[in-house]
Amino acid sequence: MAWRRRQRPVAPWQSPLPAVGADEFAHVAGFLGGADMARVGATCLDGRRAGAAYADDWYRPAGRASVSDRLRVVQRGSRYQNIRFLRTFCDRIVAGGLALDGEGNVLVTNIMACSVCVYNKSGVFQRSFGSPSAGDAPQLRRPCGVAVDGDGSVFVADPWSHRVSVYRPDYSFLRSFGSRGAGDGQLDKPRDVAVDGEGNVLVADTGNHRVSVFKDGAFVRSFGSEGAADGQLNRPWGVAVDGEGNVLVLDWGNRLSRVCMFRPDYSFLRSFGELHSPNAIAVDGEGNVLVTDLRSGVCVFKDGAFLRSFGSHQLDWAHAVAVDDAGTVFASGYRNCKVSMFGV
């Protein structure tokens, strides 16, 4: 039998690139990740060769829809256009969630130590709380998402305990709410938590395929149901609230992972994103949506459109994410057990 050498497929950046006007062109990218993403970025940011970068199906998990042949243009002026890696801190911690308080401290949920660690703006460890030795307070078993409200109270989603624990601004235990089940006020493996401007606590009720809303520890309502249609969710993995009160939910379990957006009254608005393996979601003060993806690092969206991704080299399995008012991004790598900072 005669053997024929298989021809190597043409890589996306070698394909003919459609032109984009110089005034509108700033950066074009797709979901590639790793060295390929850097290569595409170098080509596109050159400015002499405008064009589109396409998603490489070699990186696409089996069964996921392709995003090939979709032009993605980032307008000039994006705060993340020139973002760069700054430094790492918080070594040897598997971070399940990240949040920032009003003083700029970084709160990191430590999955393996069952606690929350606090670092200052410089990345210096300050203290931890919520550990099994915390007196009469119920211990955290596998803390994941964490959020801080306007008063400095801390909310921690604890999926293995099927509840949310609340701590005062001095990190002393206040109360917890939720119990395992599917009824009103019950939770099933809640993975993330967010707080809106009115003090409502939104919980990604992962096992119940919905988002549950609480106020002062009391159940208010829930929205979402299991499915893939508009307004439905399948294992919501993350939740965030933007400056206008819209709720963004990371819909992890459907065949095509996406971000679902709900209005302040919790009615469905739209969905966007074609994500590989998303883990966490955050929103900055300009309405940019940041989603961590195992393969692509941190992916940035604006008004439902993909802008760019970054951090795939520094983040080994990008996991948790948070962003401050200045646009500094904090993201954790699940496998390298570090928190990395990115800024301009």
Side-chain angles (χ1 to χ4, degrees):
M1 177 183 292
W3 291 91
R4 296 180 60 188
R5 182 173 180 175
R6 185 169 66 92
Q7 185 176 1
R8 179 178 175 82
V10 176
W13 57 83
Q14 296 171 328
S15 304
L17 301 176
V20 180
D23 292 339
E24 24 177 10
F25 173 76
H27 176 75
V28 183
F31 287 105
L32 294 182
D36 298 330
M37 189 66 193
R39 177 183 254 172
V40 170
T43 300
C44 295
L45 289 173
D46 188 307
R48 293 171 296 178
R49 184 186 181 198
Y54 297 105
D56 187 343
D57 287 352
W58 301 335
Y59 287 93
R60 179 168 54 91
R64 292 291 174 87
S66 172
V67 291
S68 298
D69 304 330
R70 299 197 180 189
L71 182 64
R72 308 190 184 279
V73 180
V74 176
Q75 299 296 328
R76 291 188 184 278
S78 167
R79 73 191 308 179
Y80 301 107
Q81 179 178 338
N82 298 314
I83 197 166
R84 61 187 178 87
F85 169 73
L86 299 179
R87 65 174 183 269
T88 62
F89 66 95
C90 186
D91 288 353
R92 301 179 182 178
I93 288 183
V94 180
L98 293 169
L100 302 168
D101 66 14
E103 298 179 357
N105 295 312
V106 184
L107 283 75
V108 183
T109 56
N110 188 337
I111 295 177
M112 303 310 294
C114 305
S115 64
V116 181
C117 298
V118 183
Y119 295 81
N120 66 14
K121 300 176 183 178
S122 302
V124 178
F125 176 79
Q126 301 297 298
R127 61 164 296 175
S128 64
F129 62 94
S131 63
S133 60
D136 295 332
Q139 72 179 59
L140 298 171
R141 296 184 62 190
R142 285 292 186 271
C144 283
V146 58
V148 183
D149 69 9
D151 297 327
S153 298
V154 181
F155 301 80
V156 183
D158 193 0
W160 280 29
S161 297
H162 310 283
R163 65 184 174 217
V164 173
S165 293
V166 187
Y167 298 84
R168 299 181 180 91
D170 64 358
Y171 308 127
S172 61
F173 177 77
L174 178 59
R175 62 171 172 263
S176 64
F177 56 85
S179 60
R180 187 170 192 176
D184 291 346
Q186 293 185 307
L187 303 170
D188 188 2
K189 302 179 184 67
R191 289 196 58 91
D192 200 13
V193 61
V195 186
D196 67 16
E198 298 180 357
N200 295 303
V201 180
L202 295 98
V203 182
D205 192 0
T206 306
N208 287 323
H209 312 286
R210 66 189 182 188
V211 175
S212 293
V213 184
F214 296 81
K215 183 69 173 287
D216 297 327
F219 175 77
V220 177
R221 60 164 296 175
S222 63
F223 60 94
S225 60
E226 184 176 4
D230 289 348
Q232 292 187 311
L233 304 168
N234 191 337
R235 299 187 66 78
W237 216 250
V239 61
V241 183
D242 68 14
E244 299 178 355
N246 297 307
V247 181
L248 297 107
V249 183
L250 188 56
D251 186 19
W252 181 86
N254 278 307
R255 182 173 180 269
L256 179 63
S257 296
R258 59 186 179 175
V259 176
C260 293
M261 191 171 184
F262 298 83
R263 299 180 180 89
D265 64 358
Y266 309 128
S267 60
F268 177 77
L269 179 58
R270 67 170 180 261
S271 63
F272 59 88
E274 297 175 340
L275 302 163
H276 293 178
S277 304
N279 267 309
I281 185 170
V283 186
D284 70 10
E286 297 181 358
N288 296 294
V289 180
L290 292 84
V291 179
T292 52
D293 184 269
L294 289 183
R295 298 172 182 233
S296 302
V298 181
C299 302
V300 186
F301 297 84
K302 182 63 178 287
D303 298 326
F306 172 74
L307 300 185
R308 66 162 299 178
S309 65
F310 62 89
S312 59
H313 293 292
Q314 294 81 17
L315 302 170
D316 191 355
W317 282 23
H319 201 65
V321 65
V323 58
D324 66 13
D325 294 336
T328 303
V329 178
F330 301 81
S332 68
Y334 188 84
R335 292 201 301 191
N336 63 4
C337 302
K338 295 180 180 179
V339 174
S340 297
M341 293 177 58
F342 302 86
V344 296

